[in-house]
Structure formats: structure tokens, C-alpha cells
Amino acid sequence: MSAFPLLFSPFSIGGLEIRNRIFSTGHQTLIQTGGLPNEGLAAYHEARARGGTGLIITEAMCVHESAYFNEAMIFGYRDEAQPGLRSITEAVHRHGGRVFGQLFHPGAEVLGSDPYGTRTITWAPSSLNHERYFGTTRELPDDLIVDIIEGYGLTAERMVEAGYDGVEIVASHGYLPAQFLSPMVNLRSDRWGGSRENRQRFLLEVARTVRARVPAGTVLGLRISLDEKDHIGLKPDEALAALAALEDEGLVDYMNIAYGSSASSGGARHIAPPMMIEAGYMKEAGATVKRAMKTPILLAGRFNQPQLAEAALASGAADMIGMTRAQIADPEMANKAREGRIDDIRACIACNQACIGHVSLGTPISCIQHPETGRELTYGTRVPAQKPLRVIVAGGGPAGMKAAAVAAERGHKVSLCEAAPRLGGQTLLAQQLPGRAEFGGIVTNLAREMELAGVEVRLSTPVTAELAAGEGADAVVVATGAQPFVPVVEGSEEGHVVTAWQVINREVNCGGSVVVADWRGDWVGVGIAQMLALEGRRVRFMTSAHCAGINLQPYVRDMIVAELMRLGVTITTYARLAGVDADTAYFEQTTSGEAILAEDTETVVLALGHRSEDSLKDALKAAGIATHVIGDALAPRTCEEAVLDGLKAGTVL
Ligand SMILES: Cc1cc2nc3c(=O)[nH]c(=O)nc-3n(C[C@H](O)[C@H](O)[C@H](O)COP(=O)(O)O)c2cc1C
Ligand code: SF4
């Protein structure tokens, strides 16, 4: 019997049988060519269908030309999209999965520029200033509203033609149908606004139109945020009233419950909740809707392990559980759970770095732990090595671990040697920053990948050319990482200047008043500031960038910056460290060169990046041993690039 009997029991929605209760929610992949679904997108979904998921809901697709969000959006009604959509549905069906398509109009939630960078007109029920995208929206005229509703119907029809089993109206996360529902956003006094009945009209008309246009037997669902968690968004009473109206008319076959809204930084974090938000936290939302409705309930948000999903089903919080990033991180998650191979699951750590982080950057999604994601056509299958080699990997951080696992999976004989007594490299530091403990999961997951692949691991063993030669190594992967960058700081002999690593390792006493000098704009600077402030110290955070945490995925950044503010940390931007003395840190304003003084400073903490530690490569070259330098040893970047380098090295060996 399965360890997860509920999760792996079949379920029927609108007469359509689904093999289990796991689904992948609609998520933007940006795997496309010119706004059209491509071969890569079909391969991406095929990997998850092969991996055992019951249902895949593909990404939000635009229903009307006024829904222009950016160039990468797929317009589901276009003829040119049909072949690509068909490839997706065929790929999912080939492996026994079901597939639904999302019907999307963002309304006010548009980035707001065309392919030339020129601002577009953004439409919404009423005129408003958008807090995140800085557009002033234009009130939708009646005829355009009617046309958009037709667009939902047409797009649904085209999706079914392409082989979709069902369609889902995206009324979640503050998008157009939710904008009509919200009394704070919809300020109209015509038939589309004012009373609750009028505010619900748009959504109900959309549902009726779609129902009328798709063949009988096509599943129609709705995604909605029970609570948009911001100052203007939907609250549970409005959301539940809309669901009741849909249920009364029997318009939808399922309700897919979320939290959050794209309209504000407070609401947006719930679109893809970062690790600071507790796993499984959506259970209560599901239970609330389940108590109120008879329609099947789908639920998603931070369910990263089958145990959590099973518990949510057992508590009656939902009928199916969305595990989206869980399957971005591990496309085989469902199969592994069904077979009871729990330890083999590469659990998502909710870092948001390469999935939604890439969407924020406008690039195709991937996963920091599994860079094969989004690169299925290139790295989807391991090609066995033509000739098994003896491979030594020097360094047990993420780059080395991934290289070792992949090389061993391909048939090489691999030993990984780590100079420290533990695997993990910089991850061991990163996981100690406040709210970042889950980051350490990457070490557990990669260690398991190595174990399954048969890598021999030697701890407290630095690699030398002699060791490699003695082992008869055909190749050495140099993944020896980096060390903190410590520039020459004028006056540092007088002042107390330490590195972020020393602070995390508790090697120094920072005193009561600390200045953090940040350059990289990543987790380290803001994390150290938070850590020291939590210890009750006065902290000033000075960054050379124009905002704190500039290189963090926005939801992650917003949460950490909010925490810094709550803790009373002062943030100064455009500030480059220039010097220190016994009690003052001196900064230059990066644009004007003017001095910024931080007086009464006891310690300056440097969060100024790293320099590669790659000295081993020269000794290996001198000994005539082939070397592959990867990760931070090649160029200090993030864990994402380290793991990708490891994948590439393991593949070419
Ligand atoms: C890369 C990415 C893109 C997303 N794009 C969409 C989208 O197109 N439509 C949507 O309804 N939700 C979107 N979301 C939200 C997800 O559907 C889902 O609610 C979220 O990932 C939380 O579930 P999880 O914790 O299982 O990943 C996106 C999430 C991610 C990570
Ligand atoms: S990048 Fe991070 S959040 Fe995204 S799927 Fe991978 S582990 Fe999860």
C-alpha cells in the first residue's frame, strides 16, 4: 500500500478521471519563441507528466490583444499557437496525465511596455495608480469589456481544439476578474460596478461564455485568491460570495484556491511564497472554502513534500494539492512519492531564485537545485560515458556535488574530496542567515544524488596534485569555491573591519553599533544586517546599489527589507565604502562623490563579494592532469550557477 493513500487515489472532476491528487498549477515558464509555445515547453511538461503528476495546468495565456503583459506571453487564441499547444497536450497525454489551460487577462497587472520599451495603455475596471508597475490604468469601456469576454470564450475553444481536457479562468492574484470583484479597485457605477451583483457580472459572464463555447465534457475551473492579502484586494467575504454565485449556477467544475495579489508587494509574495513563509500554510484557506462549497476544491501554495499534501487531504482542506515548485525542482516527485522513495525527492526549498526569479528577470525558468529544468532538450537524459574515467572532484560545495553526481550517473568512477569536515561549502553559511535555514536542504538533496549515483565521498581531504596522480585520475574537477573579498580599506588598521563570513561563524564580536557595507545586493548583506539587528545591535546598512537587496527575487527582497525596517535598521543607498577610523565609517555617494559619514561605528562588516580560490588548477596542469574549473572557483556567482556548472562538467567528462 502507498505511503500516501489519499494522494494516490484517483479523483474525478466534471466526469474527467485524474490518476492522483497531485497537480501542477499554472505557471509562467517563459519557455517560448516569440510568444509561441515551442518544443522546449512541450519537453518541460512531458518531464512532469512522465514523472507521475495527475494534472498539469499550463501557464496563463492571454485571451485578448488588450491582455498584453510582455512579449513572452502566449496568446492562446492565435492560429500560430495551435501546433505548439497540441504538442503540449499530446506530450502530457502520452504519459497518462490530464492537462488544463489558463485563461488570463491581467487588467491593471501589466509591466506596461511593448517590445520597443514604449509604455502601453493598461486597462482596468477603473483608473488607478499601479504600485508595482507604475502605470495609470484607463477605465475599460463597455464595448471593450464585451469583446474581452468573447476573448475568454474564443481562447477556451481554441485550447480544446488543441487537445486540452479543461480550462481555468484566472480570477486569482488581482488579475482582471478579481479587479472587477474588488470594491476597492472597481469604482464603476454602470452595470459592471457598484453593487456586489454588478461587480460579479464580469466573472459570471466570462464563465457563462466559456461554458457555452466549449464542448460538453470539457472541465471548467476557476482560480481565485481567497484573500489577496493587501490593502485594495479581495477579502474572503467577496471571494466566497463570488464562488457561491458560480456554484449556484453550476458554472464551474472546480475551484482552485490561492492567496495573494500581484498589485502590491504585500500581496505578491503569496504568488510564490518564499521559504520565510511556513510550508503548508494554505491549509486553513482550503478548509474555509471546502466548508462553504460543494464544488471540488484544489489548493496550492508551499506544499513542497508529499507528507504535507497527504496531511492537507486528510484534514479535508482540499480534493487535490498543487505542488508546482515541488515539481519544478523534481519532475519525478510524484513517482518517487508513489513508490515510497521519500529520501530521493529533491524537495523545493522555496528560494524563488531560478523559477519565479527568472520570470522576474524575463528569462526561462529553471531550478537552482535542478538546472535540467527548462533545459530538458539539452540535459533531459544522461548520455552514458563512452569510456569510464577515474574522476576526482575537489570541493564538496553545490558545484562539486552536482558534477560528481552527474559524472557518476554517466558511468565514471568518481571520488569527491572536501577539505572541510562537512559537505556544503558556502551553503553552510547561507543557511545560518535569519529565515534561510531551509536553504541547507540543497546539501541534503545533492548528497543524496551523489549517494544514489555511487560517488565516494572523502571529508577533511584537501586535493593536491599528488593525491590526484596517486589515484590515477583522468580528470579533476576543481570546485574549490571562493573566499570573501577584502579590499584595501583606508584606516582599517585603526577601525574594526570584519567579513560577513566571520560574523556568521561567530568568530568576532561586533559590539553594539555596526555598519554593514554591501556591494553584491544579495542575501549576505541584508541577511547579516538582519542577524545583527535581531541580536539587539544598532545596525546601519549601506549599499552601493540603488536599493537594498537589489539582486534578490522581489518577493524575497520585499520580505527581508520589511524585516530590516521593523527592526529599525537604517538603509542608505548609493554608498560606496571609502575608509574607516576608530569610530567612524566613511562612504562616498556613488553618483556625486560626496562624503557620507557613519559615526559611532564599532564594527564595519564587509559584504563585498568574493574572489575565486582556484590555485589547485595550476598544480594539476603542471602534473599533466586534465582539469575542469567550475562554480565560484571559476567566477564567484551564486549557488544557481555553481550547480549548473556542475551539471555541465559532469555531462562533458
Ligand atoms: C515561475 C512561476 C510562475 C508562475 N506563474 C503563474 C501563472 O502563470 N498563473 C498562475 O495562476 N500562477 C502562477 N504562479 C503561481 C503558481 O501557480 C503557484 O501558485 C505557486 O508557485 C505556489 O505553489 P507552489 O508552492 O506549489 O510552487 C507562478 C509561480 C511560479 C513559481
Ligand atoms: S529555484 Fe528554488 S524555489 Fe524555485 S523550484 Fe528550485 S528550489 Fe524551488
Side-chain angles (χ1 to χ4, degrees):
M1 183 178 148
S2 165
F4 307 106
L6 298 174
L7 204 51
F8 290 97
S9 58
F11 187 62
S12 171
I13 302 182
L16 183 84
E17 172 122 332
I18 300 172
R19 62 182 161 187
N20 59 47
R21 310 294 183 107
I22 298 173
F23 75 106
S24 174
T25 57
H27 58 284
Q28 222 57 58
T29 60
L30 272 77
I31 306 171
Q32 46 77 45
T33 312
L36 297 175
N38 60 16
E39 221 189 325
L41 186 56
Y44 170 83
H45 287 302
E46 179 157 19
R48 275 102 200 135
R50 191 190 302 116
T53 193
L55 165 69
I56 289 176
I57 303 178
T58 59
E59 62 203 89
M61 293 188 198
C62 301
V63 298
H64 190 264
E65 60 186 353
S66 64
Y68 186 87
F69 183 76
N70 62 32
E71 270 191 288
M73 291 297 294
I74 295 167
F75 284 74
Y77 57 86
R78 288 188 179 154
D79 289 342
E80 311 89 275
Q82 283 285 304
L85 297 182
R86 169 133 324 256
S87 308
I88 295 172
T89 58
E90 285 175 357
V92 175
H93 288 152
R94 209 162 25 245
H95 299 281
R98 302 294 193 181
V99 57
F100 299 169
Q102 280 197 323
L103 303 169
F104 176 72
H105 195 302
E109 302 302 317
V110 288
L111 291 174
S113 58
D114 69 11
Y116 299 94
T118 314
R119 288 207 80 92
T120 52
I121 299 168
T122 59
W123 297 101
S126 304
S127 186
L128 60 85
N129 287 348
H130 198 279
E131 205 169 273
R132 289 177 71 224
Y133 300 142
F134 305 104
T136 299
T137 58
R138 192 172 161 80
E139 183 177 303
L140 279 160
D142 191 87
D143 56 347
L144 187 50
I145 296 175
V146 172
D147 210 42
I148 290 171
I149 292 171
E150 281 304 305
Y152 278 91
L154 172 67
T155 309
E157 202 175 76
R158 303 303 321 262
M159 284 177 170
V160 176
E161 265 172 54
Y164 277 90
D165 301 302
V167 291
E168 178 179 279
I169 299 163
V170 182
S172 58
H173 302 121
Y175 299 121
L176 186 60
Q179 289 159 32
F180 273 101
L181 290 175
S182 170
M184 305 289 283
V185 179
N186 180 351
L187 307 174
R188 304 174 76 101
S189 52
D190 59 3
R191 64 184 174 131
W192 306 105
S195 67
R196 180 176 273 175
E197 193 189 348
N198 281 356
R199 283 183 281 106
Q200 290 175 348
R201 189 180 312 281
F202 179 80
L203 176 60
L204 290 170
E205 280 299 315
V206 166
R208 288 176 194 129
T209 305
V210 172
R211 200 36 117 196
R213 292 283 283 261
V214 295
T218 303
V219 174
L220 171 56
L222 167 94
R223 190 164 206 206
I224 195 163
S225 298
L226 177 64
D227 188 335
E228 292 191 342
K229 304 266 183 197
D230 72 11
H231 60 301
I232 51 171
L234 277 190
K235 302 283 175 285
D237 59 336
E238 288 295 342
L240 286 168
L243 293 177
L246 288 162
E247 189 168 90
D248 284 350
E249 260 190 69
L251 284 171
V252 293
D253 299 306
Y254 73 88
M255 296 164 174
N256 182 2
I257 306 304
Y259 269 158
S261 160
S262 164
S264 69
S265 23
R269 67 191 54 162
H270 298 281
I271 296 175
M275 65 176 81
M276 295 84 103
I277 294 180
E278 195 195 350
Y281 82 122
M282 288 294 303
K283 234 167 76 173
E284 193 43 48
T288 303
V289 183
K290 197 99 182 75
R291 276 194 296 272
M293 302 292 146
K294 293 184 220 61
T295 309
I297 301 302
L298 278 57
L299 183 67
R302 250 327 234 137
F303 290 100
N304 67 337
Q305 290 276 30
Q307 296 89 326
L308 284 173
E310 180 78 9
L313 292 173
S315 71
D319 298 296
M320 287 186 71
I321 303 293
M323 303 185 75
T324 304
R325 286 171 296 171
Q327 295 176 92
I328 295 176
D330 191 343
E332 285 287 324
M333 188 276 300
N335 282 343
K336 289 175 182 175
R338 197 189 62 244
E339 293 160 12
R341 294 191 285 134
I342 314 303
D343 291 345
D344 299 354
I345 293 174
R346 186 185 308 105
C348 164
I349 55 174
C351 65
N352 277 5
Q353 219 169 311
C355 51
I356 195 105
H358 280 202
V359 172
S360 307
L361 295 172
T363 57
I365 66 163
S366 188
C367 172
I368 65 162
Q369 304 194 76
H370 187 66
E372 290 89 335
T373 289
R375 298 181 175 94
E376 280 78 9
L377 293 175
T378 315
Y379 295 109
T381 42
R382 297 270 186 270
V383 180
Q386 285 186 340
K387 179 178 162 230
L389 301 176
R390 176 72 179 118
V391 177
I392 301 290
V393 177
M401 287 197 279
K402 184 71 179 182
V406 175
E409 283 166 15
R410 295 184 50 240
H412 296 304
K413 183 167 185 299
V414 184
S415 298
L416 178 142
C417 303
E418 165 55 49
R422 284 174 69 192
L423 291 171
Q426 286 181 51
T427 311
L428 299 176
L429 299 172
Q431 68 182 2
Q432 293 183 59
L433 293 173
R436 305 283 302 169
E438 211 166 332
F439 200 76
I442 195 167
V443 182
T444 318
N445 292 335
L446 285 166
R448 181 65 176 159
E449 282 181 43
M450 288 201 296
E451 191 184 337
L452 291 171
V455 175
E456 183 214 13
V457 175
R458 297 183 202 167
L459 299 176
S460 307
T461 309
V463 173
T464 59
E466 293 70 38
L467 181 146
E471 291 286 334
D474 297 304
V476 175
V477 177
V478 177
T480 40
Q483 289 296 320
F485 173 53
V486 182
V488 177
V489 181
E490 204 181 319
S492 59
E493 63 292 340
E494 226 186 308
H496 188 219
V497 180
V498 302
T499 66
W501 288 23
Q502 287 174 304
V503 176
I504 299 175
N505 283 330
R506 311 271 189 263
E507 290 167 8
V508 287
N509 181 359
C510 293
S513 176
V514 188
V515 166
V516 177
D518 169 80
W519 157 76
R520 208 160 85 155
D522 66 1
W523 310 264
V524 180
V526 286
I528 287 285
Q530 192 183 346
M531 184 182 219
L532 293 169
L534 282 166
E535 290 168 1
R537 302 171 212 268
R538 174 190 180 202
V539 179
R540 281 163 286 177
F541 175 80
M542 321 282 282
T543 178
S544 53
H546 60 264
C547 82
I550 193 164
N551 287 315
L552 300 181
Q553 193 275 329
Y555 311 156
V556 175
R557 175 175 63 226
D558 293 346
M559 288 191 76
I560 299 179
V561 169
E563 206 32 33
L564 293 185
M565 289 173 158
R566 190 186 68 78
L567 291 165
V569 173
T570 54
I571 296 173
T572 305
T573 54
Y574 296 103
R576 174 197 303 131
L577 182 63
V580 298
D581 64 22
D583 63 0
T584 303
Y586 300 87
F587 288 79
E588 273 173 354
Q589 216 271 1
T590 56
T591 58
S592 68
E594 281 183 18
I596 308 170
L597 266 59
E599 292 172 318
D600 301 321
T601 298
E602 288 174 63
T603 300
V604 176
V605 182
L606 304 179
L608 300 178
H610 308 99
R611 289 294 181 269
S612 297
E613 176 49 67
D614 64 350
S615 50
L616 176 62
K617 75 174 190 317
D618 298 327
L620 292 167
K621 275 187 185 148
I625 300 171
T627 60
H628 298 259
V629 185
I630 63 168
D632 272 12
L634 179 63
R637 288 153 294 159
T638 74
C639 193
E640 176 185 349
E641 292 81 13
V643 178
L644 176 60
D645 279 5
L647 170 64
K648 287 180 175 170
T651 305
V652 297
L653 276 166

